[in-house]
Amino acid sequence: FALTFYPIQIPDYRNAVIVAKSPDAAKRAQSYAERLRLGLAVIHGEAQCTEQDMDDGRHSPPMVKNATVHPGLELPLMMAKEKPPITVVGDVGGRIAIIVDDIIDDVESFVAAAEILKERGAYKIFVMATHGLLSADAPRLIEESSIDEVVVTNTVPHEVQKLQCPKIKTVDISLILSEAIRRIHNGESMAYLFRNITVDD
């Protein structure tokens, strides 16, 4: 069996698992998993400390020694909040991992997710996103990563990025968009488009 998103083909896709790279993306990933009748995995936690973490309050309250604010009143030692360790909920060992998202632009989180999935035993890693912005050094980061393929639609031009990174593949959705526009213009059902798309499409 193969899952085909023309011109993309995932051989033996029945051995795949849909992956949400964060709990926020779990609902979307679950929708894909149910439609394709595949398993679901969710990545929780974070790998390292960034400057943004300092700004969002994770390290508050600051670490201080016992302090006396008022005679006879002593404050306890307060520790900084710790990030949860990275965990993968769901079995990816010996499986094809398909990370799904709506947009792929800054690819660092995708690259980090791919590394974790590889460590947990996934033998092939695909990233599938609707809109491929792929700005800055995204093509180089993808090329040097554990990601096998990044599949995006042609809603955003990315020909230059494809020249820099052969792992980036494009699915043409112009026909479905033109049909959607025609249906909206004629007041026809949009649900028909989604009911009549098969797994092979």
Side-chain angles (χ1 to χ4, degrees):
F1 293 104
L3 180 60
T4 304
F5 301 91
Y6 182 79
I8 312 306
Q9 190 174 52
I10 301 177
D12 193 25
Y13 89 94
R14 289 288 179 200
N15 190 37
V17 59
I18 302 296
V19 179
K21 67 182 177 65
S22 71
D24 294 339
K27 189 172 182 182
R28 179 185 304 108
Q30 182 179 3
S31 172
Y32 285 114
E34 287 174 359
R35 181 171 173 79
L36 297 169
R37 297 185 186 98
L38 297 175
L40 176 68
V42 180
I43 298 174
H44 286 268
E46 298 173 62
Q48 58 187 13
C49 178
T50 64
E51 285 180 25
Q52 185 179 356
D53 296 340
M54 300 298 281
D55 297 336
D56 72 4
R58 293 178 203 212
H59 295 282
S60 64
M63 293 172 64
V64 294
K65 293 183 178 177
N66 285 4
T68 305
V69 215
H70 186 274
L73 178 63
E74 203 172 85
L75 293 176
L77 177 66
M78 303 183 92
M79 301 299 289
K81 296 176 187 173
E82 290 185 17
K83 294 183 193 178
I86 292 182
T87 56
V88 178
V89 179
D91 181 21
V92 297
R95 313 283 289 279
I96 300 166
I98 304 173
I99 304 170
V100 294
D101 215 329
D102 54 350
I103 295 173
I104 179 168
D105 185 9
D106 177 7
V107 300
E108 288 174 359
S109 61
F110 291 92
V111 169
E115 292 300 324
I116 291 156
L117 294 168
K118 200 64 129 179
E119 287 171 13
R120 302 298 195 279
Y123 71 89
K124 200 153 191 157
I125 298 164
F126 289 84
V127 173
M128 298 199 175
T130 307
H131 310 290
L133 302 181
L134 303 164
S135 56
D137 58 351
R140 179 185 59 79
L141 292 172
I142 292 167
E143 192 62 30
E144 295 171 357
S145 75
S146 298
I147 297 169
D148 292 286
E149 278 187 14
V150 172
V151 182
V152 293
T153 68
N154 58 342
T155 58
V156 177
H158 53 268
E159 293 307 313
V160 172
Q161 290 89 333
K162 284 178 72 172
L163 291 173
Q164 296 170 341
C165 176
K167 291 182 179 182
I168 300 169
K169 310 293 182 190
T170 309
V171 174
D172 181 6
I173 60 165
S174 57
L175 289 177
I176 197 166
L177 287 181
S178 62
E179 178 62 11
I181 292 166
R182 188 194 70 74
R183 286 179 170 278
I184 290 167
H185 180 74
N186 293 332
E188 296 174 26
S189 168
M190 289 291 288
Y192 175 88
L193 284 177
F194 303 103
R195 279 197 309 266
N196 293 281
I197 295 174
T198 67
V199 169
D200 290 331
D201 293 334

